[in-house]
Amino acid sequence: MLRDMAPSGVGSARPGAVAAPTLLVGGKRLVVDTTLVMGVVNASPESFSDSGRFSTLEQQLELAASLVDAGADIIDVGGQSAITNQPELDADREIERVVPIIEWLHSSYPHVTISVDTYKPAVVGASLAAGASILNDVSGLLYPEVVSSCLKHDAALVIMHTAARPKVRLQEQGLYDDVGAEVAWFLRDRMAAATALGLPEEAVIVDPGPDFTKTPHQTVAVLRRIHELRELGRPVLLALSRKDFLGAVTGRSPRGRDAATHAAIAYFASTPGNIVRVHDVAAARDVIATVETLAGMRELSPDYLLPDEIRHEPVS
């Protein structure tokens, strides 16, 4: 869940550290002084990563509950896969997929922050009314009118970089002259458009869009210059889990990319202000806790001794 204060054990900022951004969401102003974990619930049988493993509502609710139990700060519910070999989903069908999950989460886990992965105004309105408080817009604000829905429901807005409309595959080596600078310019411009419509800047989250209209090389180039996005002063959503650029690095298909995902999370977690979107919440939390401890962002008590029940593997 998102908290009003730092998680237990997180220390104060180190000298010279990047200032932790604040986030307005659900009527609360929060300091993102750690790396938050967003668990993924794909209510889309065509998902590139889950391959239809969670095709029924019962399976999707079980997955959502398991992500909450594993310690997810945010649950991101999506009804349309980003896979590009299929057309955009009808808005009514997308609503049928995501709203029952959002309503159930909002009722069963009122302390959990819910995000909806969509960009269509009708789906946005229905999802925020059902209890979501973050709009994860992968279109780069294709429909500016969704800002009014965010304002109505005190929702935060994720603005993701893309050079094409959703469901369009665009990977060209010469698409950008300077991909890092162009991504930063795009996000700054779209953030200005949202704030011009009345959305507080503190309600914006930026996302560099790994793999979206980018070759693996271009994605890596953007991520190497993540400091330029941090200069926007906003939390940065990093949807790293099982992405194609990790497949290019490892030569593995999506479900074989978890170790690479964890390495990528570790790379970014020593700087506050991240939200990592992942399939394996428990592993992400372990990675973040370890990195933050080694980096001096959280401390172990001097008198703590490991209890016997976790010091050894139990005998079966």
Side-chain angles (χ1 to χ4, degrees):
M1 75 199 84
L2 292 176
R3 306 168 179 84
D4 290 286
M5 59 185 70
S8 176
V10 175
S12 59
R14 294 161 291 155
V18 174
T22 57
L23 177 65
L24 276 176
V25 58
K28 296 181 179 180
R29 178 176 281 104
L30 309 166
V31 179
V32 187
D33 57 357
T34 182
T35 293
L36 301 174
V37 179
M38 174 186 279
V40 180
V41 176
N42 287 320
S44 48
E46 64 275 15
S47 167
F48 86 97
S49 177
D50 292 323
S51 301
R53 293 170 61 213
F54 307 101
S55 58
T56 69
L57 178 59
E58 181 181 8
Q59 291 171 326
Q60 292 155 6
L61 297 183
E62 288 176 357
L63 172 61
S66 72
L67 296 174
V68 174
D69 292 343
D73 298 292
I74 305 165
I75 301 295
D76 190 46
V77 182
Q80 174 180 279
S81 172
I83 197 167
T84 56
N85 61 1
Q86 297 178 3
E88 294 184 47
L89 196 67
D90 178 79
D92 289 340
R93 182 72 184 102
E94 192 174 341
I95 289 170
E96 290 174 4
R97 288 181 174 185
V98 300
V99 164
I101 301 172
I102 293 169
E103 289 177 336
W104 180 83
L105 277 168
H106 187 61
S107 173
S108 301
Y109 301 97
H111 61 286
V112 170
T113 301
I114 306 166
S115 169
V116 60
D117 179 355
T118 190
Y119 53 89
K120 299 166 190 163
V123 185
V124 171
S127 299
L128 297 183
S133 56
I134 297 177
L135 167 56
N136 184 8
D137 183 353
V138 298
S139 75
L141 207 59
L142 178 63
Y143 300 107
E145 57 264 39
V146 302
V147 172
S148 62
S149 291
C150 290
L151 287 168
K152 179 180 178 180
H153 296 281
D154 289 326
L157 170 67
V158 178
I159 302 175
M160 190 196 80
H161 171 269
T162 180
R165 71 173 293 122
K167 306 289 279 183
V168 173
R169 182 175 177 82
L170 179 61
Q171 291 194 320
E172 297 179 5
Q173 293 181 7
L175 187 60
Y176 307 99
D177 292 325
D178 182 338
V179 65
E182 289 174 51
V183 168
W185 177 89
F186 176 95
L187 293 174
R188 191 184 305 274
D189 177 74
R190 295 290 81 202
M191 187 164 69
T195 56
L197 292 170
L199 190 71
E201 188 173 296
E202 284 184 298
V204 175
I205 300 164
V206 296
D207 178 351
D211 288 352
F212 282 84
T213 65
K214 300 172 188 70
T215 65
H217 180 272
Q218 290 162 348
T219 291
V220 170
V222 171
L223 294 177
R224 284 176 176 172
R225 292 168 60 178
I226 201 71
H227 62 280
E228 296 179 30
L229 300 189
R230 297 194 194 284
E231 291 172 1
L232 297 174
R234 307 307 314 127
V236 179
L237 175 62
L238 294 164
L240 304 169
S241 191
R242 302 177 180 174
K243 285 299 182 73
D244 282 359
F245 83 94
L246 297 176
V249 171
T250 64
R252 300 184 185 278
S253 58
R255 275 190 255 167
R257 300 172 191 166
D258 283 347
T261 298
H262 304 152
I265 293 170
Y267 179 80
F268 293 109
S270 62
T271 302
N274 310 297
I275 303 170
V276 289
R277 185 178 184 273
V278 300
H279 297 84
D280 189 338
V281 167
R285 293 204 67 85
D286 287 351
V287 168
I288 293 162
T290 303
V291 169
E292 290 185 343
T293 300
L294 293 174
M297 298 168 69
R298 65 172 76 197
E299 299 295 338
L300 290 175
S301 172
D303 58 358
Y304 178 82
L305 297 176
L306 202 66
D308 286 343
E309 57 265 28
I310 61 172
R311 190 162 173 254
H312 305 287
E313 283 298 323
V315 177
S316 57

